[in-house]
Amino acid sequence: MNQTNPLPSLSRRCFTCNSCRVIQKALLVLDQVSVCKIITELQDIEEVIPFIFDPNGNHVIQKAIQIVSTFAKSAAEHGDIDEAINLMNQIKFIIDDVAANVEKLSKHRYGCRVIQRTIEHCPEEQRDEVLTKICACHRSLIEDQFGNYVIQQALSIGSEDIMAVVVETLSEGDLIFKFSKHKYASNVVEVMFQSATPDQKEAVLNAMLQDFEGTCGIVQLAKDPIGNYVVKNAIDCAEGQQKEKIFAAITSNRQELVSDYVCRFR
């Protein structure tokens, strides 16, 4: 063997298609001690971001977050707090880089997946660190083709802080119309309705029912190729008198809706 050209390190193998699959499988099936040995070797890397931006490396980072977080939660549930903290520290080098680059990662094809795995699997302390950063840049993520998935995931796991800032943003001025007609942002609006409290739904519905461009806003959305899906979702998720408000607005504008192509054929 040529001693001047040693085999690539484990971290370098994360960048190759076949090797990254083997590493992911190892993380999935090996015991906790063996997994921690793999993570320890990965800790030698200077930056996590290049791995996250790589089409192969990002999968290893996602799997590391998922598996080690599962071990940490299990230890905490069994009362071994010291072990749980030790396991959290194993992936601290990943979470630190993720938290420091939340907006950039959330807007990246592969980075958004790592952010989602972080808020989906990490113990509360690490998850909340990332969620706080997401709150700070949520507006720019709602309309982004990848960032919108991060907001959807945060809403789906029940983050009260994310829900509060999203509802506040959607209720501001006429932003609900802009977002509901947007290819990516409309998905966030729909997930918001599915996860929000009755009071939060009420706030956003009131914004949708205000006048917009000379007519009831929800009627304008019903006529939009994308917005009509938001209206249908709002109807499905509305509660009690909220449905009555929507139906009253639709009924009073029935002729306008019936004559509209989108409303007739959707």
Side-chain angles (χ1 to χ4, degrees), residues 34-233:
S34 299
V35 167
C36 287
K37 287 180 180 178
I38 294 175
I39 300 299
T40 297
E41 186 166 344
L42 291 176
Q43 288 173 353
D44 292 336
I45 63 179
E46 294 182 1
E47 266 191 297
V48 176
I49 303 302
F51 288 76
I52 296 176
F53 282 172
D54 184 78
N56 298 311
N58 82 90
H59 293 291
V60 174
I61 299 300
Q62 288 185 64
K63 191 63 69 176
I65 291 170
Q66 177 187 344
I67 299 302
V68 177
S69 294
T70 299
F71 286 147
K73 288 178 180 178
S74 178
E77 289 170 1
H78 287 85
D80 195 343
I81 304 303
D82 289 340
E83 180 65 8
I85 292 173
N86 178 60
L87 287 163
M88 290 170 63
N89 286 335
Q90 285 281 317
I91 56 171
K92 186 177 184 297
F93 74 106
I94 296 175
I95 305 304
D96 285 349
D97 267 14
V98 168
N101 297 276
V102 161
E103 185 170 6
K104 178 169 69 173
L105 292 175
S106 295
K107 293 180 177 182
H108 188 272
R109 179 183 299 275
Y110 307 130
C112 73
R113 300 174 188 175
V114 173
I115 296 286
Q116 289 177 75
R117 297 297 84 75
T118 301
I119 59 182
E120 180 182 2
H121 295 292
C122 279
E124 186 174 343
E125 181 181 336
Q126 292 178 323
R127 183 195 67 191
D128 288 349
E129 180 183 1
V130 175
L131 286 172
T132 297
K133 299 296 182 66
I134 293 173
C135 280
C137 62
H138 76 280
R139 288 197 182 210
S140 71
L141 301 185
I142 290 176
E143 291 182 285
D144 186 77
Q145 69 176 120
F146 302 120
N148 80 91
Y149 293 111
V150 171
I151 300 297
Q152 288 183 62
Q153 181 67 37
L155 292 173
S156 296
I157 66 164
S159 170
E160 294 181 1
D161 290 341
I162 295 291
M163 178 63 76
V165 296
V166 168
V167 168
E168 182 180 359
T169 296
L170 295 180
S171 305
E172 182 181 315
D174 60 2
L175 286 179
I176 184 61
F177 307 114
K178 173 186 176 184
F179 290 142
S180 295
K181 294 180 178 182
H182 191 277
K183 179 178 180 180
Y184 305 121
S186 62
N187 296 321
V188 173
V189 181
E190 291 191 36
V191 173
M192 181 281 303
F193 273 118
Q194 294 163 13
S195 307
T197 65
D199 286 344
Q200 290 169 332
K201 293 176 189 177
E202 184 78 18
V204 178
L205 280 172
N206 286 339
M208 292 175 70
L209 289 165
Q210 66 180 311
D211 285 344
F212 180 67
E213 296 180 350
T215 188
C216 178
I218 204 165
V219 173
Q220 289 293 325
L221 291 180
K223 294 161 59 178
D224 185 79
I226 295 174
N228 79 93
Y229 290 103
V230 174
V231 174
K232 286 187 284 189
N233 186 265

Side-chain angles (χ1 to χ4, degrees), residues 226-245:
I226 295 174
N228 79 93
Y229 290 103
V230 174
V231 174
K232 286 187 284 189
N233 186 265
I235 293 171
D236 289 339
C237 297
E239 303 176 37
Q241 291 187 343
Q242 294 172 355
K243 286 184 185 290
E244 295 178 12
K245 288 182 179 179

Side-chain angles (χ1 to χ4, degrees), residues 1-53:
M1 181 183 296
N2 183 357
Q3 297 298 318
T4 62
N5 185 27
L7 289 173
S9 66
L10 179 65
S11 59
R12 288 185 180 180
R13 290 175 180 169
C14 292
F15 292 103
T16 64
C17 181
N18 294 327
S19 295
C20 86
R21 292 173 182 168
V22 173
I23 296 170
Q24 289 176 76
K25 188 66 174 182
L27 291 171
L28 185 62
V29 303
L30 292 177
D31 59 65
Q32 181 175 307
V33 173
S34 299
V35 167
C36 287
K37 287 180 180 178
I38 294 175
I39 300 299
T40 297
E41 186 166 344
L42 291 176
Q43 288 173 353
D44 292 336
I45 63 179
E46 294 182 1
E47 266 191 297
V48 176
I49 303 302
F51 288 76
I52 296 176
F53 282 172

